[in-house]
Amino acid sequence: MVEVTVALLAAALLVCADPREAVTALGARSEPDSAVDRALAALEAAPADRALAGALAGSLLDAAHGQPEVTARLHHWMAAQDTVVTRSGPTGRGIHAHSDATPDHSNTIGGSARIDGPSIQAHTISGGVHLTTRGPLRPLPVPRQLPPVPNRFVDREKDITALNSLHSTHLVVVSGPAGVGKTTFVSHWLRQLRDDFPDGQLYADLGVTATGTPVPPQEALGQFLRAYGFTDLPSDQAEQTALWRSVAGDLRIAVMLDNAVSAAQVRPLLPSGSGSLSVVASRRKLSGLLADGAAFHELGLLEPAAAVQLLVGRIGDHRAEHERDAVTAVAELCAGLPLALCLAGARMAARPRRTVASLVDALNREGGRLAALHADGHSAVQAALDESYASLPPDMAHGYRCLGGLPFAVFGTEVIAAACDLPIRQAEAVADGLIEVNLLEDLGANRFRFHELVRLHAAQRASQDQSVATLDGTRRAVGWYLATATAAEALLTPSHRNLPREYPRGTPPPLSFDDPNAALDWLSREQGQLATALRTAADNDWHAAVWQLADALWPLWHRLRPYDLWLEAHHKGLAAARRDGRPGALSRMLTSGGGALLNSGQPEEALAWYAEALDHARADQDRKAEAQSLHGIGRAHHMLGHLSEATSFFTRALTRREAIGYVRGAALTRVCLGEIAIAQGRSDQAVTELTTAHRELAALPDPHDAARALAFLGRAQAARGNFTAAESHLEAALDEFRSIGSVHWQGRTMEMLGLTALDRGAQATARAWLERSLAVYASISPRDTRRLLDRISSLREPPAPA
C-alpha cells in the first residue's frame, strides 16, 4: 500500500501563487521545470503528515477542468502510482477523483477498514486496516435541506416536464397563488435531481415573519455559509454575498428560495457557479429577475381528476367508491387548490364514520363566509380551515389558537407547551392532533411549522378569543429560549455565567445537553429562533429578557461569531439595560458589545463603548467591571496599533484583577501583555507573563485559554532563539486545540509554527505549516485566508539582490 497525504496543489503552490497559474504551468509540457514536475518532486520528498491531501489535489483537478493536456498529465502520474485520489472540500466532504487510465486495476477496501480524511491507496486492500489523517477539520455532511414531500404526490407531470426544459437556465422562478403547492412541488422536483447536485441542496424560507417583515437575505447567507463550515463571517451583507459566491463558485448545488418577496431579496443568495441551480418559489411573478437570466413558470390549480385522486389517496379507495359523487363535489368546492384539498382530505380521514356528503354540506355553508383568508380569490382555504377547526376537540382548538399568536416560524414541543401553558406530554398530544388533520407540518427532529395561511387563520382565531393570552404564551416561549441558552452557556463557558436570569412563571424546563458539542449544535441550529426571541422581547419592552438573552448567547458569539446578529443583539441589549436599571447589566452589555465591535473590525467604536463602561463601573464602585473595561480599552488600542497605550491599560487592568483575586481575568490580561511584549521585542518579559498565565489557566482549569497562553509562550521562546522549546509548546497547544475542537486556533497555531520555522531559517518547513494553516482558514475565515495567502505569496518572491 502507498499512502500519500500531501496534495498536488500544495506542491504546485510551492512555485505558483495562484492555482490558475499552477494549472497554466502544468499545461506547459515542453517546459522541463514546469510546475507539475516540481510538484511531483515535492510530493515524493514531502513529510507523511500533510493534511492538505485530497482537498487541494481535488482543487487542482477542478481548476484544470477543460484543459485535457493538464488532466492527462495528472492521470498519467496517478496511473503510474496505481492510485485513487480521494479529495475533500473545505469542510471535509468526500468528493472523489480517480484515474481513468487504469481500468483494469481495482481499488477497494474490505474487512474492517476505516478511512478518516483524505487518502490515496494502491491495489486492493483487505483485512483490518485503519487509516487516519490527523487533520484540523471535522467532516460535515453534504447539506440536504429540502423540505419533506408527502408520500402521495399527484399529477404535475406537465409542470415537471416544463421545469426540466428550463433546467439549463440556472435560475427558475415558480410562481402561483398561496396554497397551490409551490413548496411541495419544487422540493419534489429538486429531489428527483439529487444526483445532479453532489455538493448539496440548500433551502431558505424568505417569507414574511410574524412581525410582518420579510426575512433579510443576510440570515439566509449565514445559514448557507455555515452549512459549508464557515463560522467567522463578515458582518457586512455585501462581503457575505461576495464570500458566498466565492464558496459556491466551484460547487454543484441546488438552492431553493421559498416564499420570496422581491428580486432584491433573492439576488444576494444566488450561487455563481455554472453547475448550480436556483429555484425561487413566490406568490409574485418577480419579473425583476428577468435581468438575472431567470426563466419563469406559473404553477396552476390541479385538474379535477388529480384533485379527486388526491382526496382518494387520503380517505381510501373503498370509502371513495361508495361516495364518488360526494368526493367529486368536495374536490370542486376546494377549487383544485392543493392546500384546501389536503385539509379536507385530512378532515375526512380523521372522521371515518362521518359521510363525505356531510363535509360537502359544511363546506357549502362555510364557503359564503370569505373572511381575511383567501388564495387569489378562492374561498376554499377559508372554508376548509374553518371546517377543520370546527371539528377539533376543545383542547386541540385551544392549542391551535395559542400557537396562532407565536412569532416563531419553526418551533418544538417545548414552545408549544409554553404557548399553551401545558406539560410537555400534553403539548406533544396537541402537536400530534394538529398534524393528523394537516393543520401543522412535521419537519422531523421535534420541529414543526404552520403553512403561512394556516398561521394567519390561527392568529385570526386567537384574536377572536378573549380567553387566549397569546402575549403570555409568547413570553413563556421567549423565557424557554432564554433558559435553554443559559443551560448551553453554563456548559460551554461556565466562567461567563454570573448575572441573574428571570423566567416567566410557567416557563417549561430547558433542554439538557449531554456534552458541549450538543449545546453548540443547538445554538447553531436555533440561531433564527433565538434572534426572533430577542427581537420579540425588544418589541414588547421586556427589557430584562433582551439583555439577558444577549448575555446568555455568549458561546454563540464567541464560538460561531455571527457578527451581524452579535452587534444587533448588543445594540438592543444596551438599550434594554439602560431602561432596566439592573446592576451589572449595563456594564456587561457595554463590554460584551465592545467585543462584538472589536471582532467585527470596529475598534474605535469599541473604544467608546469600553470608555462608557469604565465610567459606569467607577460610578457603581464595581472593581471587577472596572478591570474588565480597562482590559477592553487595552484590546481596542492593541487593534489600533497603539501598543504603548494598550500596555498601560492592560497593566492597570492586571493590577485591579489581582487585587480582587480574579485569577482567570488576571491571567487573560497577562496573555495580552505577553503578546504585546513579543511584538515589541521584550521576549524575556513575554516569557514571564505567559508562563504565569499558562500555569494559572491550566490550574482553573480553562483548557482553551491555557492553550492560547501556551501558543504565545512558544512564540516568545522563538524570539529568544529557543526553538526546541518553542516548537514543543506550539505542538502541545495544537494538540489541545484539536482535542477541544477549536478550529480557528488550530489554524492560528499552525501559522505560529510556520513563523517559528521561518525564524530558524527552515523555509520549506515554514511553507508547509503556513499552507496547512491556510487549509484551515479557507473553510472558516475569509480575512485570515487573505492574510495567509499574502504571507505565502511573499515566501515565493525571489530574494532581493545583495
Side-chain angles (χ1 to χ4, degrees):
M1 182 193 75
V2 177
E3 179 184 357
V4 183
T5 56
V6 64
L8 291 177
L9 181 57
L13 282 172
L14 298 176
V15 293
C16 296
D18 187 324
R20 289 168 296 183
E21 183 185 342
V23 170
T24 301
L26 287 171
R29 303 184 61 164
S30 61
E31 184 182 341
D33 193 26
S34 68
V36 70
D37 298 320
R38 298 172 67 184
L40 297 180
L43 180 63
E44 293 168 357
D49 185 17
R50 291 285 300 278
L52 290 173
L56 296 177
S59 297
L60 187 56
L61 286 170
D62 286 340
H65 180 68
Q67 300 186 44
E69 69 282 2
V70 176
T71 54
R73 296 194 71 190
L74 293 172
H75 286 170
H76 176 76
W77 178 85
M78 294 161 63
Q81 299 294 322
D82 193 23
T83 62
V84 171
V85 179
T86 301
R87 67 185 196 265
S88 302
T91 55
R93 294 189 181 84
I95 309 171
H96 303 285
H98 60 87
S99 171
D100 294 325
T102 56
D104 296 328
H105 289 150
S106 156
N107 287 273
T108 62
I109 300 177
S112 59
R114 190 189 91 191
I115 293 183
D116 180 12
S119 67
I120 300 177
Q121 70 178 61
H123 283 296
T124 299
I125 300 176
S126 60
V129 180
H130 184 162
L131 304 176
T132 297
T133 296
R134 199 171 160 208
L137 301 175
R138 182 175 66 176
L140 294 176
V142 174
R144 300 292 179 188
Q145 301 176 352
L146 298 178
V149 175
N151 292 332
R152 301 180 184 91
F153 188 89
V154 301
D155 198 21
R156 301 301 191 192
E157 284 84 359
K158 292 181 180 178
D159 295 293
I160 289 174
T161 300
L163 258 61
N164 285 337
S165 69
L166 302 175
H167 186 183
S168 60
T169 61
H170 307 302
L171 174 59
V172 177
V173 178
V174 176
S175 61
V180 81
K182 297 182 294 296
T183 300
T184 299
F185 169 67
V186 172
S187 182
H188 173 75
W189 180 60
L190 287 177
R191 284 172 181 275
Q192 293 180 325
L193 303 177
R194 176 189 174 108
D195 292 343
D196 292 348
F197 304 106
D199 299 324
Q201 294 170 305
L202 303 175
Y203 174 83
D205 187 343
L206 305 179
V208 174
T209 65
T211 59
T213 57
V215 173
Q218 201 159 357
E219 289 193 10
L221 281 169
Q223 172 191 324
F224 289 173
L225 289 166
R226 284 189 294 273
Y228 288 98
F230 287 80
T231 54
D232 189 5
L233 302 181
S235 58
D236 181 70
Q237 180 180 309
E239 291 185 26
Q240 284 193 13
T241 301
L243 173 60
W244 166 235
R245 288 174 179 162
S246 298
V247 170
D250 295 327
L251 299 178
R252 293 170 58 193
I253 56 175
V255 176
M256 178 177 173
L257 303 175
D258 203 7
N259 296 312
V261 176
S262 67
Q265 188 189 29
V266 166
R267 284 194 183 97
L269 306 174
L270 300 177
S272 57
S274 60
S276 295
L277 171 67
S278 300
V279 186
V280 182
S282 177
R283 295 189 197 179
R284 308 182 184 189
K285 302 288 187 182
L286 299 185
S287 55
L289 291 174
L290 186 63
D292 301 89
F296 299 86
H297 179 77
E298 185 167 0
L299 196 65
L301 302 172
L302 290 176
E303 296 292 332
V308 170
Q309 182 185 352
L310 192 155
L311 288 172
V312 171
R314 291 278 181 173
I315 66 174
D317 292 330
H318 179 75
R319 188 175 177 190
E321 188 63 33
H322 282 75
E323 294 189 80
R324 177 65 63 178
D325 291 343
V327 170
T328 302
V330 170
E332 291 174 353
L333 286 167
C334 289
L337 197 67
L339 176 60
L341 289 160
C342 288
L343 291 166
R347 178 70 205 102
M348 288 188 287
R351 293 290 181 89
R353 296 182 181 179
R354 184 177 176 182
T355 65
V356 178
S358 65
L359 178 62
V360 174
D361 293 339
L363 290 175
N364 273 319
R365 289 194 302 273
E366 295 293 337
R369 294 175 48 210
L370 178 61
L373 284 178
H374 58 87
D376 288 14
H378 296 287
S379 62
V381 172
Q382 178 74 45
L385 285 170
D386 283 345
E387 166 59 17
S388 293
Y389 171 77
S391 64
L392 290 174
D395 56 338
M396 298 291 176
H398 177 75
Y400 181 72
R401 295 192 299 272
C402 290
L403 295 176
L406 286 177
F408 304 105
V410 178
F411 45 84
T413 50
E414 296 84 4
V415 173
I416 297 175
C420 304
D421 198 14
L422 292 172
I424 293 294
R425 285 185 178 275
Q426 293 182 26
E428 291 171 347
V430 168
D432 290 342
L434 295 176
I435 291 168
E436 186 68 25
V437 294
N438 228 59
L439 289 173
L440 192 66
E441 296 180 55
D442 186 354
L443 302 179
N446 188 32
R447 292 166 69 80
F448 313 100
R449 73 174 179 183
F450 280 137
H451 183 283
E452 185 178 356
L453 292 182
V454 179
R455 178 169 59 81
L456 291 173
H457 183 269
Q460 179 191 64
R461 287 294 180 175
S463 67
Q464 296 170 355
D465 185 350
Q466 300 300 317
S467 69
V468 174
T470 54
L471 204 57
D472 289 346
T474 297
R475 191 162 194 170
R476 287 189 295 269
V478 169
W480 179 82
Y481 278 111
L482 172 60
T484 302
T486 298
E489 176 195 28
L491 191 59
L492 289 163
T493 53
S495 61
H496 185 264
R497 166 73 169 95
N498 57 14
L499 290 179
R501 298 284 185 262
E502 296 177 358
Y503 310 115
R505 187 174 182 178
T507 298
L511 293 179
S512 59
F513 301 104
D514 295 332
D515 55 64
N517 283 337
L520 192 61
D521 287 345
W522 182 84
L523 288 171
S524 176
R525 185 177 64 251
E526 295 297 323
Q527 261 190 77
Q529 314 313 319
L530 289 163
T532 297
L534 191 143
R535 291 164 186 157
T536 299
D539 291 342
N540 288 285
D541 294 330
W542 300 335
H543 303 310
V546 178
W547 69 258
Q548 288 174 24
L549 264 169
D551 185 46
L553 292 175
W554 174 251
L556 178 65
W557 316 139
H558 185 57
R559 300 288 186 92
L560 302 182
R561 300 174 180 246
Y563 293 126
D564 49 345
L565 183 55
W566 190 356
L567 289 168
E568 179 191 353
H570 281 82
H571 280 292
K572 284 181 165 61
L574 179 59
R578 292 190 195 282
R579 296 181 182 125
D580 193 41
R582 204 73 54 90
L586 184 58
S587 177
R588 177 59 65 85
M589 287 298 97
L590 285 166
T591 54
S592 182
L597 292 162
L598 279 179
N599 281 280
S600 61
Q602 304 176 60
E604 294 196 2
E605 189 173 351
L607 196 58
W609 282 48
Y610 285 125
E612 183 182 349
L614 181 60
D615 290 340
H616 285 289
R618 286 172 172 166
D620 296 338
Q621 297 185 343
D622 187 336
R623 298 174 71 191
K624 186 173 183 180
E626 180 183 1
Q628 176 70 13
S629 303
L630 290 168
H631 181 91
I633 293 172
R635 289 184 62 207
H637 280 299
H638 190 184
M639 182 173 284
L640 288 166
H642 308 155
L643 299 189
S644 296
E645 291 90 338
T647 300
S648 174
F649 279 101
F650 283 136
T651 302
R652 292 157 64 187
L654 178 60
T655 300
R656 284 157 178 78
R657 285 177 161 176
E658 288 184 325
I660 62 175
Y662 183 21
V663 176
R664 179 176 180 274
L668 292 177
T669 302
R670 287 186 185 277
V671 172
C672 294
L673 284 168
E675 185 179 1
I676 292 176
I678 294 170
Q680 293 182 327
R682 296 181 283 111
S683 57
D684 289 345
Q685 183 180 349
V687 168
T688 299
E689 298 285 11
L690 292 164
T691 299
T692 302
H694 176 253
R695 182 180 64 248
E696 293 177 345
L697 290 166
L700 283 174
D702 183 347
H704 182 271
D705 287 315
R708 285 179 58 240
L710 189 60
F712 283 118
L713 180 57
R715 289 298 294 141
Q717 292 287 11
R720 299 173 79 181
N722 191 349
F723 295 114
T724 300
E727 291 178 343
S728 175
H729 291 330
L730 285 164
E731 288 172 358
L734 181 58
D735 284 342
E736 184 63 41
F737 288 129
R738 281 171 171 151
S739 70
I740 62 179
S742 179
V743 177
H744 178 87
W745 272 94
Q746 289 174 45
R748 183 81 181 273
T749 308
M750 290 174 183
E751 182 181 358
M752 290 181 178
L753 280 161
L755 297 177
T756 300
L758 275 180
D759 290 342
R760 64 179 175 85
Q763 184 154 323
T765 302
R767 184 182 289 112
W769 277 116
L770 292 175
E771 287 171 347
R772 291 180 66 184
S773 175
L774 176 63
V776 177
Y777 282 142
S779 68
I780 61 170
S781 176
R783 287 179 295 182
D784 289 314
T785 298
R786 289 191 293 269
R787 182 170 54 76
L788 258 292
L789 282 170
D790 290 342
R791 189 182 292 278
I792 292 171
S793 296
S794 70
L795 296 182
R796 301 189 187 92
E797 295 176 1

